[in-house]
Amino acid sequence: RGSLSLEDARARRFTIDWTAVDPPRPSFLGTTVFEDYPLEPLVQAIDWSPFFHAWEIKGRYPDVLEDPIQGAAARDLFAEAKTLLEDIVSRRLLRPQGVIGFFPANAVGDDIVLYRDTTRTETLATVHTLRQQAAKSDGRPSLALADFVAPMESGLTDYLGAFAVTTGVGLDDIVERFERDHDDYRAILAKALADRLAEAFAEHLHQRVRQELWGFAPEESLTNEDLIHEAYQGIRPAPGYPACPDHTEKGTLFDVLHAQTGTDIRLTESFAMVPASSVAGYYFWHPEARYFGVGKIGRDQIEDYAARKRIEPAAAERWLAPSLNYEP
């Protein structure tokens, strides 16, 4: 299929009719910290299928529990997980923390510029996005996340949301206790549950964002199954994932959220999050926003992206090595 030049890819950008839109204003601007979030609603929001996959039991929950081959193992594992989870909840052994923020924003080319306030006179930060360059035969657009935010020239004040959450605070103590008792199985089980709770926290908060905190979908009534299938309005992509494969963008995300002062989440030099049971990303509200993978990108985009980020092209190549369509 080949690749498009960056210029051609931009000519095929996804266009939204912004004249027909009044971007919804969030209930607050800036950040809100959740210091010790209740565990109970997070348990309700757990997607159990990946939990079984982590133990190499393939299949979808709850069907996997009745699987003729793996069912017995799945039921045993699930029973032990539920017992440990009840202990974690009743004794509050994990202390979920998070921060969310909403910022006035506009797209400028493939960048999303965040502003200090709605006058949009002072820039707070810039989120750099990447555009698909794979040639598509059927005339589908070449997407970048910036396409889902009102462009500067529209004159509209749009908004971008951001979040960072963790359910890993307290996990080290649980794991240490099991390891002291030479119970490696339960130590691993605790880590797997903390991971599931972190994803559930991201899911639960996003639902609150849609219904009340940003409130662009107040009437939404979705089942847990609907949420797992992403049947909601808007998206919450995360740096390091297919729509925004550059992990270094977490640095900007954490800066605008003051995540390292408001929570116990830290970024390592390689932009991994500690505790590991943490999730961070963006909120886009527009109904036409959708998940996608950037795929392979060319040297022309790397050079353009490096210039926008004010870094050396070699540094951009290093961080985006799996995404390059050429040998640097």
Side-chain angles (χ1 to χ4, degrees):
R1 287 187 313 170
S3 291
L4 301 173
S5 70
L6 180 58
E7 191 182 356
D8 285 347
R10 283 178 171 160
R12 299 179 192 200
R13 70 185 303 124
F14 181 65
T15 52
I16 289 170
D17 178 9
W18 292 101
T19 59
V21 172
D22 187 13
R25 188 182 165 126
S27 63
F28 66 89
L29 294 178
T31 60
T32 290
V33 173
F34 303 103
E35 280 174 16
D36 194 355
Y37 205 86
L39 279 159
E40 290 79 3
L42 312 191
V43 172
Q44 299 301 311
I46 289 178
D47 174 6
W48 284 102
S49 295
F51 171 79
F52 290 103
H53 301 166
W55 294 84
E56 299 193 350
I57 298 176
K58 298 284 175 257
R60 289 189 57 78
Y61 171 83
D63 306 344
V64 71
L65 300 176
E66 303 306 323
D67 185 271
I69 298 161
Q70 313 171 93
R75 288 192 296 275
D76 288 349
L77 176 63
F78 194 45
E80 287 166 333
K82 294 287 261 216
T83 302
L84 180 52
L85 190 56
E86 280 161 19
D87 190 40
I88 287 169
V89 173
S90 64
R91 295 166 59 199
R92 292 211 55 80
L93 299 176
L94 295 176
R95 297 179 298 288
Q97 297 178 352
V99 56
I100 65 171
F102 301 113
F103 310 96
N106 282 121
V108 177
D110 293 349
D111 289 336
I112 302 167
V113 178
L114 309 185
Y115 303 100
R116 290 205 178 275
D117 55 42
T118 49
T119 64
R120 292 180 294 155
T121 48
E122 202 182 333
T123 298
L124 177 66
T126 302
V127 174
H128 304 283
T129 80
L130 290 159
R131 185 169 296 283
Q132 293 173 323
Q133 282 185 272
K136 303 178 190 181
S137 54
D138 51 8
R140 283 176 304 154
S142 300
L143 300 171
L145 286 172
D147 296 347
F148 306 138
V149 176
M152 174 81 83
E153 56 272 22
S154 69
L156 294 171
T157 302
D158 204 353
Y159 303 91
L160 184 71
F163 72 95
V165 297
T166 187
T167 52
V169 179
L171 179 62
D172 286 350
D173 296 341
I174 302 173
V175 169
E176 215 169 90
R177 193 179 80 228
F178 286 137
E179 285 177 347
R180 261 203 318 273
D181 297 339
H182 306 289
D183 191 345
D184 290 345
Y185 170 68
R186 277 192 175 67
I188 296 167
L189 195 59
K191 289 178 191 172
L193 287 172
D195 286 349
R196 286 296 88 217
L197 285 165
E199 295 291 347
F201 196 180
E203 191 72 80
H204 166 79
L205 259 193
H206 191 193
Q207 189 168 27
R208 284 194 61 193
V209 163
R210 296 189 302 273
Q211 292 180 317
E212 45 162 323
L213 300 170
W214 197 338
F216 54 79
E219 306 301 311
E220 176 187 288
S221 65
L222 298 175
T223 64
N224 209 33
E225 197 65 13
D226 293 333
L227 296 177
I228 290 163
H229 288 116
E230 297 160 353
Y232 44 74
Q233 178 181 328
I235 56 173
R236 61 160 194 284
Y241 282 79
C244 37
D246 182 2
H247 282 278
T248 69
E249 284 293 305
K250 272 181 231 155
T252 306
L253 186 66
F254 271 55
D255 285 349
V256 298
L257 289 171
H258 309 294
Q260 305 198 74
T261 46
T263 73
D264 290 327
I265 314 173
R266 298 286 171 268
L267 283 179
T268 67
E269 277 178 20
S270 60
F271 293 93
M273 288 181 284
V274 179
S277 306
S278 303
V279 185
Y282 311 105
Y283 298 128
F284 290 79
W285 71 271
H286 199 280
E288 289 183 75
R290 56 183 186 264
Y291 293 105
F292 63 93
V294 167
K296 298 291 186 188
I297 58 176
R299 196 184 299 271
D300 55 352
Q301 178 153 207
I302 283 289
E303 287 171 357
D304 178 274
Y305 186 71
R308 278 154 46 204
K309 277 180 75 94
R310 299 195 177 98
I311 60 173
E312 289 299 318
E317 285 174 335
R318 209 166 47 246
W319 285 106
L320 289 164
S323 303
L324 304 181
N325 72 0
Y326 64 96
E327 286 294 323

PDB file of all heavy atoms in Angstrom, residues 33 61 131 193 198 223 257 274:
ATOM      1  N   VAL A  33      -7.776  16.900  42.467  1.00  0.00           N
ATOM      2  CA  VAL A  33      -7.056  15.720  42.963  1.00  0.00           C
ATOM      3  C   VAL A  33      -8.011  14.839  43.763  1.00  0.00           C
ATOM      4  O   VAL A  33      -8.827  15.339  44.534  1.00  0.00           O
ATOM      5  CB  VAL A  33      -5.856  16.150  43.845  1.00  0.00           C
ATOM      6  CG1 VAL A  33      -5.196  14.933  44.501  1.00  0.00           C
ATOM      7  CG2 VAL A  33      -4.834  16.915  43.015  1.00  0.00           C
ATOM      8  N   TYR A  61     -14.550 -13.170  29.746  1.00  0.00           N
ATOM      9  CA  TYR A  61     -15.324 -13.288  30.977  1.00  0.00           C
ATOM     10  C   TYR A  61     -16.742 -12.821  30.656  1.00  0.00           C
ATOM     11  O   TYR A  61     -16.902 -11.848  29.934  1.00  0.00           O
ATOM     12  CB  TYR A  61     -14.687 -12.405  32.068  1.00  0.00           C
ATOM     13  CG  TYR A  61     -15.527 -12.296  33.310  1.00  0.00           C
ATOM     14  CD1 TYR A  61     -15.481 -13.279  34.291  1.00  0.00           C
ATOM     15  CD2 TYR A  61     -16.386 -11.211  33.499  1.00  0.00           C
ATOM     16  CE1 TYR A  61     -16.263 -13.188  35.420  1.00  0.00           C
ATOM     17  CE2 TYR A  61     -17.177 -11.120  34.628  1.00  0.00           C
ATOM     18  CZ  TYR A  61     -17.111 -12.093  35.584  1.00  0.00           C
ATOM     19  OH  TYR A  61     -17.897 -12.013  36.702  1.00  0.00           O
ATOM     20  N   ARG A 131       0.554  11.875  12.870  1.00  0.00           N
ATOM     21  CA  ARG A 131      -0.479  11.610  11.857  1.00  0.00           C
ATOM     22  C   ARG A 131      -0.186  10.322  11.098  1.00  0.00           C
ATOM     23  O   ARG A 131       0.960  10.007  10.790  1.00  0.00           O
ATOM     24  CB  ARG A 131      -0.534  12.797  10.884  1.00  0.00           C
ATOM     25  CG  ARG A 131      -1.650  12.712   9.853  1.00  0.00           C
ATOM     26  CD  ARG A 131      -1.839  14.008   9.093  1.00  0.00           C
ATOM     27  NE  ARG A 131      -2.268  15.101   9.958  1.00  0.00           N
ATOM     28  CZ  ARG A 131      -3.514  15.260  10.419  1.00  0.00           C
ATOM     29  NH1 ARG A 131      -4.465  14.387  10.089  1.00  0.00           N
ATOM     30  NH2 ARG A 131      -3.812  16.271  11.202  1.00  0.00           N
ATOM     31  N   LEU A 193      -4.520  -7.887  40.338  1.00  0.00           N
ATOM     32  CA  LEU A 193      -5.742  -7.185  40.768  1.00  0.00           C
ATOM     33  C   LEU A 193      -5.531  -5.674  40.773  1.00  0.00           C
ATOM     34  O   LEU A 193      -6.412  -4.916  40.360  1.00  0.00           O
ATOM     35  CB  LEU A 193      -6.173  -7.662  42.161  1.00  0.00           C
ATOM     36  CG  LEU A 193      -6.785  -9.069  42.202  1.00  0.00           C
ATOM     37  CD1 LEU A 193      -6.995  -9.515  43.648  1.00  0.00           C
ATOM     38  CD2 LEU A 193      -8.114  -9.119  41.431  1.00  0.00           C
ATOM     39  N   ALA A 198      -6.662  -0.389  38.401  1.00  0.00           N
ATOM     40  CA  ALA A 198      -6.192   0.859  37.790  1.00  0.00           C
ATOM     41  C   ALA A 198      -6.967   1.130  36.502  1.00  0.00           C
ATOM     42  O   ALA A 198      -7.426   2.253  36.260  1.00  0.00           O
ATOM     43  CB  ALA A 198      -4.693   0.788  37.512  1.00  0.00           C
ATOM     44  N   THR A 223     -24.017  -0.200  30.138  1.00  0.00           N
ATOM     45  CA  THR A 223     -23.652  -1.323  31.011  1.00  0.00           C
ATOM     46  C   THR A 223     -22.126  -1.423  31.063  1.00  0.00           C
ATOM     47  O   THR A 223     -21.419  -0.809  30.254  1.00  0.00           O
ATOM     48  CB  THR A 223     -24.195  -2.650  30.446  1.00  0.00           C
ATOM     49  OG1 THR A 223     -23.536  -2.888  29.178  1.00  0.00           O
ATOM     50  CG2 THR A 223     -25.698  -2.587  30.229  1.00  0.00           C
ATOM     51  N   LEU A 257      -0.940  18.496  34.852  1.00  0.00           N
ATOM     52  CA  LEU A 257      -1.762  17.943  35.936  1.00  0.00           C
ATOM     53  C   LEU A 257      -1.116  18.127  37.318  1.00  0.00           C
ATOM     54  O   LEU A 257      -1.767  17.876  38.331  1.00  0.00           O
ATOM     55  CB  LEU A 257      -1.988  16.443  35.712  1.00  0.00           C
ATOM     56  CG  LEU A 257      -2.919  16.031  34.572  1.00  0.00           C
ATOM     57  CD1 LEU A 257      -2.840  14.524  34.352  1.00  0.00           C
ATOM     58  CD2 LEU A 257      -4.362  16.461  34.849  1.00  0.00           C
ATOM     59  N   VAL A 274       5.390   4.837  37.896  1.00  0.00           N
ATOM     60  CA  VAL A 274       5.561   4.103  39.149  1.00  0.00           C
ATOM     61  C   VAL A 274       4.581   4.726  40.150  1.00  0.00           C
ATOM     62  O   VAL A 274       4.581   5.940  40.310  1.00  0.00           O
ATOM     63  CB  VAL A 274       7.010   4.238  39.667  1.00  0.00           C
ATOM     64  CG1 VAL A 274       7.177   3.486  40.989  1.00  0.00           C
ATOM     65  CG2 VAL A 274       8.011   3.721  38.648  1.00  0.00           C
TER      66      VAL A 274
END
